[in-house]
Amino acid sequence: MRSQNEFSYGGDATVKRPELNKDISDQEWNDFVYNRKSLRGKHWELWQHLSGCRQWIKVERDTATHEIFNTLKANEDISQ
Amino acid sequence: MTQSFRLENVGLINRNKKISFKFNGKKYYGYEGDTLASALIANGVHLIGRSFKYHRPRGFFGAGVDEPYAIVQLYRNGETEPNIKATEQELFDGLVATSVNCWPSVKFDIGAINNFLKIFLPAGFYYKTFMWPKSFWYKVYEPFIRKAAGLGVASIKHDKERYEHKYEYCDLLIAGSGPSGLASAYAAAKNGARVILAEEKSRFGGTLLTSDVNIGNKSGKEWAEGIIAELTEMPNVTIKNRSQVFGYYDHNMLVMSERISDHLPKTKKFHPKQRLWYIRAKEVLISAGSIERPIVFGNNDTPGVMLSSAAKEYLKVYGVLVGKKPLIFTNNDSGYETAIEFKKNGIDPIILDTRENPQSEIVDDAKELGINIKFSYVVVAAQGYKKVKSADIAKISVNKEELGEIENIKCDCICVSGFWTPTIHLASQSGNKTKFNENIDAFVPGKSKQNETTLGAANGVYTLDETLKSSFETAHELSKKITNNDNKISFPNVIEKKSTTHDKFWCVPLPKGKNYKRFLDFQNDVAVSDIEIALKEGYRSIEHVKRYTTLGMATDQGKTSNLNGLQLVSKIENKVVPAVGHTTFRPPYSPVSIGAIVGREVGKHSKPTRKSPMHNWHEQNNAVFVDAGVWLRPRYYKIGDENLFEASKREAKNVRTNVGVCDVTTLGKIDIKGPDAGELLNRVYTNAWLKLPVGKARYGVMLREDGIVMDDGTTTRISENHYHMTTTTAQAANVLSHLEYYLQLVWPELNVNVVSTTEQWAGAAIAGPKSRDLLQKLFPSCDVSKEGLPFMGYMEGDLFGVKARIFRISFSGELAYEVNVESDNGNFMWEKIIEVGQAFKIQPYGTEALSTLRIEMGHVAGSELDGRTIPYDNSLEGLVSKKKDFIGKRSLTKEAFTAEDRQKVVGVVPLDKKTSIPEGSHLVKDSNAPLPNPKLGFISASCWSVEYDNPFSLAILKDGKNMIGKKLFVMSPLKNKVIPVEIVSSHYVDPKGERVRS
Amino acid sequence: MQKYSIFNLVKNALSNHENWDLAWKDPTPKKEYDVVIIGGGGHGLATAYYLAKEHNITNVAIIEKGWIGGGNVGRNTTIIRSNYMYDDNALFSEFGMDLWRSMSQDLNYNVMFSPRGIINLAHSDAQMNIYARRGNSMRLNGIDAVLLNREQVKEIIPMADFSENVRFPIFGGLMQPSAGTARHDAVAWGYARQADSMGVDIIQNCEVVGFDVSNGKIKGVRTSRGDISAKKIGLCVAGSTNILAEKLNMTLPIETHLLQACVSEPVKPVLDRVVTFGAGHFYISQSDKGEMVMGGDLDGYNSYAQRGNLPTLQHVLTEGIAMMPFLSKLKMLRTWGGIMDMSMDGSPIIDKTHIEGLYLNCGWCYGGFKATPASGWTFAHTIAQDRVHKLNSGYSLNRFNTGHLLDEKGLGTRTWIS
């Protein structure tokens, strides 16, 4: 168990960056850059172990209770 | 003065050590082991302060953390602290304390006039008045109210004390060392668990110190002492007194404050005053006990009215009588225990019991002792102003609504017991949804939310037998789960007096024709009538009631008032208490010193300070430093009486004419390695990177995905798969994280590794027309000629035996180089450059001269790349590839970003060529236009051009590209300046960039 | 309606305070309203008040999940200011300042607006220049601003750290003398009382469970207390915006984050200005009760918890002591958290939506309290006229498409970095 102070937040983990050179609509691009669901309850999000191994990880956390359910490495896909 | 209320041979204080102290200027004596409260009561002092709103006299109500009244200003070791609870402050030799919130003195307080005006000052009165005339609130009424409010006085002196932090892990954290705390600590410890046991008071044992019980043929106190002695010896146990667990946070993180020196006349050398413990516990046992609650009656705030449990504690722990003619007013058996203790010590109490005919062992004991008990009796009102002198009492009907004839009996204190409220704060903070227990008229913890279990009185369990049993069992089970051990300890035989049920009576009705104030919240002066008004006016949610009346918002946070407030609301609203619900419990359980929360990160240590390896040299050479993020950088090097302007001008001029050297160690440096490194750069930067040859550097700009410039810098291809990236000082950390984000999450297929090397390299920028000559002398074996090391070239060299990297890059727009060596050699490099450079009239230059040089060359930096500009704004369109995709490119097509009149960086010169233009000024067309005057742009950077010897500025200007040659006004209303200016190209000096390439 | 005044107070005192009227009623929701405002916070209550007062629309309901004023209007640090750099923000806020100045009289409810001035401390010449840019912009917009040097700051707030042992020395500061504080709860209650008196139904304990939309038009709202039809619906729910947006199949440039604040125990007056730290993110003022009211950084992760963790507060208070070392000896009395609707450029949204009759008011980040009157006023205008007012024309939802962003801090979309 590591201190929260060692980690930095990286936002919604389900947002996918559009592929390079792909022709996409303004809406798709804005959904990536600006628009977020940010709901109450379970939330997959990114954290970086900034003051540590510097790995980005994916964390499933409850935004209402702060309970943590699940973690994945950067290269693992969120199954739901 | 004698301690006339002190008993002989009773109590746990050290009578061998007499201690002198002062209260309100008068000298008193107490004993070691006293609190300020117990010592004052021993001396017969009951008037301690004045209440918040009506300035009514205030005495002592409790004996610990729940105290609402007894707040003093403390003086200790030349410093002062406001709002100290006298019931918590341990006595030390030379302690000095004074009353708060009264003037001129606690005995004669002018503010008490409010007490006579109180009918005009009901809950929320201030919302209804003080509105006319309009300006009077801020100018007249509010200053008056502010002065009247507040409690103690905050000294604005810096705190000399030290506070520390400690991080700890344990299997079981046990909060509270009463019966359940001790039992569970013992059971868990014997089962091999790592235990931390925390007790907020100085003595362990909780109620065992005051109750008349027998555990395993020992008195409660002896049993507690035996357990503590055993626990102290165990290596897997940490026991801490004067330590309060005040906060229950996420993931079983609890925070405890330990008072290490507050009970001493002064803090010992190298000791902290307090220590904050962050404790991550596998399991938490909350054994925080319960707090006795008052019964509400007329003038129940008069000094001398106090909790019966407090009276018992003063007697049994401190050997102090709170009065010699006590009246006990109770609705349950607890009051009898206090009465019995009085009686045993030769004092005749009178008990008023609201119950009609209670049957229990304790009641029988009291009867046997010959104590005068009046059943179905209540205190209607306390009489006396600065101290209870008598009580109006009356018989009360079975339905508790009718009062009999009022009688007045003499007494000097009224000890009240309205039953017990479990301390559920920690459980509630953990997220536990509390539930209402009808049997005890109070909330208890519900289902555990985190790994927490509440035991004993805190869980509404009020018999010792049951408390010990459940604590032993729970602690055993939890520790077994953790340690896999199964060492059970035998359960001791418990003898305790059986008590019977309490009476659900908590508020004495007003007698006809009387309008006594019946207080709920004693510190904030919230009375029954205030709650009634709030509800009448529609403030019906319990949160509205709290906020409108300030119930429970004082420094005791409603520990003795909240539940009675709820009962009142539920009665008036005709709802059950759980339907009214309680307000949220939040940390801290009781106030925590801000110094303790902050710890050692104060003064110079509030944030880290980073220094380059050449820092000492700069210091020795009269550098004046400037904060650059967490770094310190030389701003200029002072010669003689030079000021900033003169020094930076001299330094800049020397760069333009001879050669200068600047410490650029603080720039972020990132090592990038791997076969796909070029591809990564090509995606991160806006310009093309795939064809950069080995041994060459390139300038690049990177964007955020929203199209805004994130950072700029040069990256050099050291070898085939190895690049060295530089970032600005400010963005170094963000850029690294940015690269890691894309490599790990977005493009994991790229075979690249990145690592920060900012600290690995010391950097020196050598700039000026003579820089090449100097460089040649520094690296005689390298060919640093124009051809050998062209602009943006890179080579490795040997600097007098030290390996060095040489980059031909320029921050200043001059012919310039940057030399990097490993940090340990930084100072050596610097001294060599200075030494060899003497022949070329070298001078070190600081950030101010560097700014001047880059500004007049039109190089954009931090104030132009301010998180709001796109590359086009900074005339960097040449660097934006049209062919390839890169981070943020898609955003550059936005309407606002491509607008015809989009802002752009320009140069600004005052028409008189003399007046300096303050940074942060704005450009307008008409300096006399009415406000709001439309702004066309702002001055981002200003300097005195050493090339042309006149002021020059950069500005971000709307429609900048079409404004060259136009005349505008620079306005700085803050500095009362209007300066006519001409807009020129941002590349003021050497617009073609010939020098860097020379 | 009963008028609040010193005379009435005395009169009621003599009748034992038994004749005070309800500040607002507790009506059962009607089947249909002209306008339903969702969210009984400061902005929602103000919107209803201005709909009635300025536009004569009184067939209005405010529906509130909990109790009115229980969200951020009751959880903020009560600071009121208009010290913005961008014109859209500055002119909007300054319009609000005018409403603040006369609010107590307008509402006949003492909201205790106290123009005690705000000082933003600067800790380097570069920061002084950044503040100059903002201050000059304010002045050119007709807003008061003064640039203070170190000595001037010292004269006003001598308790700040002017010693040698300081990590970030004070170089000066930007002051808006007309900025200040107000009693937050009173603002909600004052608006509620007046709105109620003009016929607005304030419906508490009423949770929205869904919307009725057909053919791109809003028809009504489904609540825990039954379906309510409405011609127009205004969303004014701050930290719960994302939750309601989901029920409307909208995804917004908003994230919900947690901001903690705390107060110290009350002490006698020692600080009579609002002060912000320039080398971090910390602000402080002293309430009329004597408590130091302090706040700072977001906890930094999406949250609806209204409860935070200690490391964030520790960080905030570290900056507090760095700025004013005397705070060390005070005690932290109470902490709490609020959930913030953080927009992607730090500025709010007051706009129509793609659904006809549905209006959006959100994105206040941690600056919602001071905006209460101007937000209510412009939102009421937008709803009543079905078009945005000039004052809120910059607060369009579409700016994230066009790039006309209002990023005062230049931090971009990482809203959790404050």
Side-chain angles (χ1 to χ4, degrees), chain B residues 672-677 694 717-723:
Chain B
I672 303 176
K673 278 185 178 169
D676 297 323
V694 172
R717 191 167 188 181
I718 304 284
S719 66
E720 180 65 22
N721 293 330
H722 182 192
Y723 293 77

Side-chain angles (χ1 to χ4, degrees), chain C residues 259-304:
Chain C
L259 180 68
Q260 293 190 77
C262 64
V263 295
S264 75
E265 292 187 338
V267 289
K268 290 290 172 194
V270 54
L271 175 67
D272 60 359
R273 311 282 173 174
V274 182
V275 187
T276 74
F277 186 50
H281 203 212
F282 173 81
Y283 40 90
I284 185 169
S285 65
Q286 187 173 17
S287 75
D288 286 347
K289 206 179 162 190
E291 298 165 339
M292 297 292 167
V293 184
M294 300 173 279
D297 277 318
L298 292 173
D299 264 41
Y301 40 81
N302 291 47
S303 177
Y304 283 88

Side-chain angles (χ1 to χ4, degrees), chain B residues 567-589:
Chain B
Q567 306 235 40
L568 180 60
V569 173
S570 76
K571 188 177 148 202
I572 300 173
E573 292 277 288
N574 205 11
K575 284 179 181 166
V576 291
V577 173
V580 176
H582 59 73
T583 57
T584 321
F585 292 98
R586 297 185 189 287
Y589 170 64

Side-chain angles (χ1 to χ4, degrees), chain B residues 205-384:
Chain B
T207 53
L208 290 172
L209 300 180
T210 56
S211 52
D212 188 12
V213 294
N214 188 296
I215 308 171
N217 292 325
K218 290 178 187 165
S219 75
K221 178 179 153 275
E222 283 162 2
W223 182 78
E225 284 165 356
I227 297 280
I228 287 294
E230 241 184 287
L231 290 175
T232 309
E233 295 302 313
M234 296 176 75
N236 54 331
V237 179
T238 304
I239 59 172
K240 283 281 159 195
N241 60 341
R242 301 187 177 101
S243 297
Q244 184 184 76
V245 181
F246 67 81
Y248 200 137
Y249 296 91
D250 291 334
H251 312 129
N252 260 33
M253 166 74 91
L254 289 96
V255 186
M256 173 171 98
S257 70
E258 182 187 6
R259 303 187 311 277
I260 294 182
S261 309
D262 295 79
H263 63 293
L264 303 172
K266 63 191 260 192
T267 307
K268 286 185 207 151
K269 209 171 175 189
F270 305 125
H271 279 230
K273 182 165 188 268
Q274 294 172 7
R275 181 180 290 132
L276 198 78
W277 295 56
Y278 280 94
I279 302 170
R280 188 82 68 175
K282 283 188 185 142
E283 294 284 345
V284 177
L285 294 179
I286 301 167
S287 47
S290 57
I291 292 173
E292 199 165 24
R293 57 178 181 258
I295 302 176
V296 179
F297 56 88
N299 300 334
N300 55 337
D301 63 328
T302 312
V305 177
M306 64 168 61
L307 293 172
S308 110
S309 57
K312 190 170 72 168
E313 186 169 335
Y314 284 120
L315 198 160
K316 291 205 75 167
V317 176
Y318 304 101
V320 169
L321 293 169
V322 298
K324 292 179 180 172
K325 286 174 87 168
L327 187 65
I328 315 286
F329 179 26
T330 187
N331 70 358
N332 69 96
D333 285 2
S334 300
Y336 287 78
E337 293 178 20
T338 305
I340 288 167
E341 292 302 333
F342 272 117
K343 185 75 184 175
K344 280 187 192 162
N345 286 286
I347 301 290
D348 273 328
I350 301 171
I351 298 177
L352 303 191
D353 192 332
T354 66
R355 296 173 296 184
E356 210 182 346
N357 185 20
Q359 298 292 333
S360 74
E361 269 182 69
I362 299 171
V363 175
D364 290 345
D365 278 2
K367 284 178 184 165
E368 256 167 53
L369 284 167
I371 294 174
N372 181 359
I373 310 172
K374 290 170 174 287
F375 294 105
S376 293
Y377 253 88
V378 296
V379 175
V380 175
Q383 299 295 352

Side-chain angles (χ1 to χ4, degrees), chain B residues 685-689 692 697-701 709 711-715 791-792 809-810 859-861 865 876 879:
Chain B
Y685 283 126
T686 59
N687 49 346
W689 282 80
L692 181 72
R698 184 166 286 175
Y699 175 73
V701 170
V709 177
D711 198 38
D712 68 340
T714 58
T715 292
F791 181 55
M792 287 297 186
I809 52 179
S810 175
H859 288 194
V860 291
L865 310 180
L876 297 170
L879 287 176

Side-chain angles (χ1 to χ4, degrees), chain B residues 794-831:
Chain B
Y794 164 77
M795 62 169 59
E796 283 167 17
D798 178 284
L799 181 77
F800 302 99
V802 165
K803 208 179 86 182
R805 289 175 167 182
I806 310 164
F807 307 83
R808 188 173 162 192
I809 52 179
S810 175
F811 300 98
S812 53
E814 277 301 328
L815 170 66
Y817 302 87
E818 188 184 323
V819 180
N820 280 6
V821 296
E822 287 171 5
S823 290
D824 286 352
N825 298 324
N827 205 48
F828 173 81
M829 164 185 72
W830 188 267
E831 284 179 347

Side-chain angles (χ1 to χ4, degrees), chain C residues 196-209:
Chain C
D196 172 271
S197 79
M198 288 188 282
V200 171
D201 280 358
I202 297 173
I203 301 161
Q204 303 185 72
N205 301 308
C206 180
E207 184 175 1
V208 170
V209 294

